DNA sequence: CCCTTATGATCAAACATTTGATTAGTTGGA
DNA sequence: TCCAACTAATCAAATGTTTGATCATAAGGG
């Protein structure tokens, strides 16, 4: 059985994508290797960048990555309804609800009932939250810059263009979105 | 205070990146806007793709995304030590250890002591695990293909090249890696 | 006006991840 | 040989995510 073949002894994080694509083509000749390579690579690159940002910038300052995203959104977009925060920071309403417990307990955000709709929550940063995002974002952006320097300016622009085109295709692809 | 400015009323998942980059430049003129846009876009694109794959393919079949990654690695690379599985599937050993409890309980993988080093674990797929990955991966790859179709073949190749170049820069950038 | 339906938020249970500590086994040097 | 240093794995506590259910409020049609 091919699935019991021993792995190459030198299999590493770096060599796995090439190995996996080649092996999958052997096991399943009908596989779309380009799509497979694209998604594998996309996932790896992002997870490296985010892990680095979270572990080297945000956790040492007392924020998780999701916590940072929420504070960041509130910093830039100002006080807003929780529903909007969830949407623009890319998380479900339930996940945000749980996350807000921590951020509120740590005194970074304020959770208030909206006046025009008593079901809705109005979120805003506290002064501590504002201080946290100011310092945190500067460090965050320095780390982002270090990553971005791997690419030429034109390459950065092209990468963003391709990612946006990929996202735009999600409608066509009938992708499932968070609710 | 600028951080209390009201957000535009039409702020959505799609318009947030442009808005955020522009706003951050107002608040902090020293910001590296290109790097910021790159990381924001990378994170969003990946999270959309992964969320779609997990929620439309893997969870309905009883696997989480991390669970799929481990089974997938074991399928392609064959039986191997847990340390290698953690490395190539991009998770810490502690995270893998916890994840294996679920996969073992569900009868998808086997956890055995290695003979040459009694500290080490030897991981392998059960027949159920093999069946799960065969069916799951076909559906997974179909969904990947739908996403990939948003790009021209040359664009897919270029996107992969740019992501690899970005990852390769991590050494230069002194990024922090999982252990 | 009332009732059905829709919407915003939260809850509950299961799961995965992080960091830091601990346990078990291996290795190399005094 | 023995012990210190290292390594593989697990544990523990805190955190965040998912799906599906529940609660409260709002909105619309008869």
């Amino acid at each position: 059985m091919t699935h019991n073949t021993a792995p190459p002894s030198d299999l590493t994080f770096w060599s796995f994508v090439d190995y996996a694509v080649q092996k999958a083509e052997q096991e399943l000749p009908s596989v779309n290797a380009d799509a497979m390579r694209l998604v594998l690579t996309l996932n790896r690159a992002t997870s490296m960048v985010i892990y680095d940002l979270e572990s080297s910038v945000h956790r040492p300052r007392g924020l998780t990555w999701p916590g940072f995203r929420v504070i960041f959104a509130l910093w830039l977009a100002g006080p807003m309804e929780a529903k909007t925060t969830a949407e623009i920071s890319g998380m479900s309403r339930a996940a945000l609800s749980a996350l807000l417990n921590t951020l509120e307990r740590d005194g970074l955000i304020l959770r208030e009932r909206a006046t025009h709709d008593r079901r809705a929550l109005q979120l805003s940063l506290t002064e501590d939250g504002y201080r946290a995002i100011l310092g945190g974002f500067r460090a965050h952006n320095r780390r982002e810059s270090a990553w971005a320097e791997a690419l030429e300016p034109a390459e950065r622009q092209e990468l963003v263009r391709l990612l946006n085109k990929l996202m735009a295709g999600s409608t066509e692809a009938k992708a499932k979105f968070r609710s």
Side-chain angles (χ1 to χ4, degrees), chain A residues 79-91:
Chain A
M80 66 184 126
E81 285 188 23
K83 184 192 169 182
T84 310
T85 311
E87 154 128 22
I88 67 181
S89 59
M91 58 184 66

Side-chain angles (χ1 to χ4, degrees), chain A residues 80-139:
Chain A
M80 66 184 126
E81 285 188 23
K83 184 192 169 182
T84 310
T85 311
E87 154 128 22
I88 67 181
S89 59
M91 58 184 66
S92 71
R93 197 53 204 76
L96 177 61
S97 194
L99 183 49
L100 290 175
N101 292 330
T102 309
L103 297 176
E104 188 178 34
R105 184 206 59 196
D106 293 346
L108 302 175
I109 59 110
L110 276 182
R111 218 180 194 168
E112 298 163 304
R113 284 284 152 200
T115 51
H116 61 294
D117 182 339
R118 281 181 304 168
R119 291 168 305 181
L121 272 189
Q122 183 76 7
L123 301 183
S124 53
L125 286 185
T126 61
E127 277 305 314
D128 275 1
Y130 182 64
R131 273 191 292 274
I133 191 60
L134 262 192
F137 180 71
R138 279 182 221 271

Side-chain angles (χ1 to χ4, degrees), chain A residues 122-177:
Chain A
Q122 183 76 7
L123 301 183
S124 53
L125 286 185
T126 61
E127 277 305 314
D128 275 1
Y130 182 64
R131 273 191 292 274
I133 191 60
L134 262 192
F137 180 71
R138 279 182 221 271
H140 173 97
N141 190 241
R142 278 194 294 275
R143 224 51 233 106
E144 284 177 327
S145 302
W147 279 96
E149 273 170 17
L151 304 179
E152 302 299 325
E155 289 178 326
R156 289 198 277 274
Q157 204 180 334
E158 178 66 359
L159 179 49
V160 167
R161 185 187 76 81
L162 292 171
L163 291 168
N164 277 320
K165 188 169 178 183
L166 186 69
M167 285 192 279
S170 64
T171 313
E172 178 79 25
K174 298 181 172 42
K176 186 166 177 188
F177 299 99

